[in-house]
Amino acid sequence: MFEHKAQFLKRKELKRVQLSKLRRIVSYAYQNVPLFKKRFNEAGVKPGSIRTLDDIEKIPFTVKNDLRDNYPLGVLAVPQTRLYCLHASSGTTGKPIIMAYTRGDLERWSKLMGRSFDVAGVRRGDVVQNMFGYGLFTGGLGFHYGARAVGATIVPTGTGNTKRQLMLMKDLRSRVAASTPSYMIYLCEASRIEGYEPKVDFAVKVGIFGAEPWSEQTRKRIEDVFGLRAHDIYGMSELYGPGVAIECEQRNGLHVWGDEFLVETINPDTGDVLEPGKEGELVFTMLSREAMPLLRYRTRDLSRVFEEECACGRYHPRIQRIKGRSDDMLIIGGVNVFPSQVEHVLMNIPTLGDQYQIIVSHAELDRLAVKVETTPERVNDPNLLKQIQSDLLAVLGIRADVQLVELGTLPRTEVGKARRVIDLRTKE
Ligand code: ADP
Ligand code: ZN
């Protein structure tokens, strides 16, 4: 097993490690990053004020804009000559955020990814097909480092190029598939179109999927087609990249590697810390990051934290499957709607295809439209339409105009994260 001792730290030991690392990183960040010194001083907090784990509440939050405002490398805690590599977030609007790593950071990240692979059942010599994008995006290289750490055989196919992807998956007998869930769902369909019989032609037994929200129903669909076991993995560029948290064999929440990250949930509106089990915004403190320490970083991701020991024997706290980013929340006629809720409803209806689209518009009132694929003979089925409408109403609390379209008509995601929401209101 990879890093067995760290994986199975007892609660007391874990807390002890957390506190000593927290105290060290707080004074390190204070001394080496002007932004933190300024924030601490403004809040009247000294590094020495942090004596217990609960004292973390005294530390001011860090937000995405702090990093953006200091573009490109204004939050470094080390001289630039000590940097081993750089990454960047996709930065859909404006300047991206640059992530910096020392060699030590890279080793830590690799180990966390290695542990995550280990937890998912990846072993030395396993063929790992890495379908995450290589480059500035942390997904590709993050998975690459993890596979290397556990001694797996890496097939770095990266994103897209689906025909070749499937050919290699078959011919190289890939045992592990790593990708976004939306790409894997696409491969379910593409493999049939290309004439494969996934369970017979492919040897994929482990799936590691993340980087975007997905539902339990989507997991089932992928597992049924490929005959694999899928694990949800969470991370973000600012927190090294992927490998912050992963599902163990229990798949009852994702274990956050507690010896490297402190996780909290807060009320996103007030900043108040929430009790374990309550839904809120995830906030992470990196306990050993050298190049770019981050204290109480607000992710905007919504989830819950559970502290109890897991049936797997690990004490690393668990987070619930991510509901979505607060930025992804749609407010439709005053009602909050998460795209993940729509997915949950649709993927629960077996006669519907895997692809859907959410369209929000405004004509006097906000309107929610949902397009979803089904077989040609069901496209005009009024009962199916009614069922979707009433299921959506029950979960969302608002009415949606549902449109059934034929399989193969909606756009597919072959590269990057799925874009299933079209909000026309901003343009109108
Ligand atoms: P970018 O911010 O450029 O899209 P990142 O890789 O940093 O690139 O994205 C991180 C975000 O991806 C997270 O904050 C979260 O919203 C989402 N994400 C990552 N993993 C998961 C997951 N397993 N489930 C749901 N969302 C995820
Ligand atoms: Zn567990």
Side-chain angles (χ1 to χ4, degrees), residues 376-424:
E377 55 284 6
R378 290 205 178 82
V379 163
N380 294 311
D381 180 350
N383 292 329
L384 179 58
L385 203 66
K386 255 193 223 138
Q387 185 194 350
I388 304 168
Q389 256 156 357
S390 77
D391 287 2
L392 283 172
L393 180 63
V395 170
L396 308 179
I398 54 166
R399 240 188 56 82
D401 305 319
V402 179
Q403 193 188 341
L404 291 166
V405 298
E406 278 190 32
L407 288 174
T409 39
L410 294 174
R412 267 75 177 141
T413 309
E414 279 197 70
V415 174
K417 308 185 187 200
R419 283 176 293 277
R420 297 193 179 101
V421 179
I422 302 171
D423 196 338
L424 298 168

Side-chain angles (χ1 to χ4, degrees), residues 90 137 210-213 232-237 301 322 325 417:
S90 55
F137 173 55
E212 62 184 2
D232 190 3
I233 188 165
Y234 170 81
M236 71 190 304
S237 315
D301 288 326
I322 308 284
R325 262 192 238 201
K417 308 185 187 200

Side-chain angles (χ1 to χ4, degrees), residues 94 170 197 204 219 251 309 372 398:
K170 175 168 186 250
E197 210 184 309
V204 182
R219 165 163 27 221
R251 302 194 301 184
E309 179 193 2
V372 59
I398 54 166

Side-chain angles (χ1 to χ4, degrees), residues 46-238:
K46 290 264 164 288
S49 325
I50 310 303
R51 290 192 206 91
T52 68
L53 285 173
D54 290 337
D55 287 336
I56 194 168
E57 292 189 26
K58 298 178 184 164
I59 302 174
F61 294 117
T62 314
V63 297
K64 226 180 189 103
N65 271 342
D66 291 327
L67 305 181
R68 230 173 241 142
D69 295 345
N70 286 286
Y71 176 87
L73 293 169
V75 289
L76 285 190
V78 298
Q80 220 171 311
T81 48
R82 276 198 58 206
L83 296 183
Y84 182 77
C85 69
L86 298 166
H87 278 278
S89 75
S90 55
T92 35
T93 49
K95 293 243 166 80
I97 293 171
I98 307 293
M99 263 63 63
Y101 306 71
T102 62
R103 184 176 281 270
D105 290 332
L106 206 83
E107 269 158 24
R108 265 182 297 278
W109 181 23
S110 302
K111 279 188 184 162
L112 293 177
M113 272 308 286
R115 266 191 223 171
S116 303
F117 268 89
D118 185 75
V119 166
V122 182
R123 299 289 172 256
R124 172 171 297 278
D126 281 353
V127 177
V128 175
Q129 188 156 338
N130 183 11
M131 299 177 274
F132 279 101
Y134 280 76
L136 284 172
F137 173 55
T138 51
L141 283 166
F143 278 81
H144 193 92
Y145 299 140
R148 188 171 68 176
V150 294
T153 305
I154 312 162
V155 185
T157 46
T159 54
N161 217 332
T162 301
K163 273 188 194 175
R164 191 181 59 175
Q165 200 83 260
L166 292 168
M167 182 183 81
L168 292 175
M169 188 174 276
K170 175 168 186 250
D171 295 343
L172 301 178
R173 312 285 306 151
S174 299
R175 184 173 176 271
V176 182
S179 76
T180 56
S182 57
Y183 188 59
M184 200 61 190
I185 257 298
Y186 175 64
L187 284 189
C188 292
E189 169 186 71
S191 57
R192 288 211 196 89
I193 293 173
E194 293 299 318
Y196 294 101
E197 210 184 309
K199 276 187 194 154
V200 178
D201 290 319
F202 304 129
V204 182
K205 290 288 169 278
V206 179
I208 308 183
F209 308 124
E212 62 184 2
W214 54 308
S215 63
E216 200 52 43
Q217 290 71 20
T218 298
R219 165 163 27 221
K220 258 206 103 277
R221 285 177 177 223
I222 294 171
E223 289 186 335
D224 287 349
V225 169
F226 277 88
L228 57 77
R229 229 177 125 72
H231 291 256
D232 190 3
I233 188 165
Y234 170 81
M236 71 190 304
S237 315
E238 297 92 311

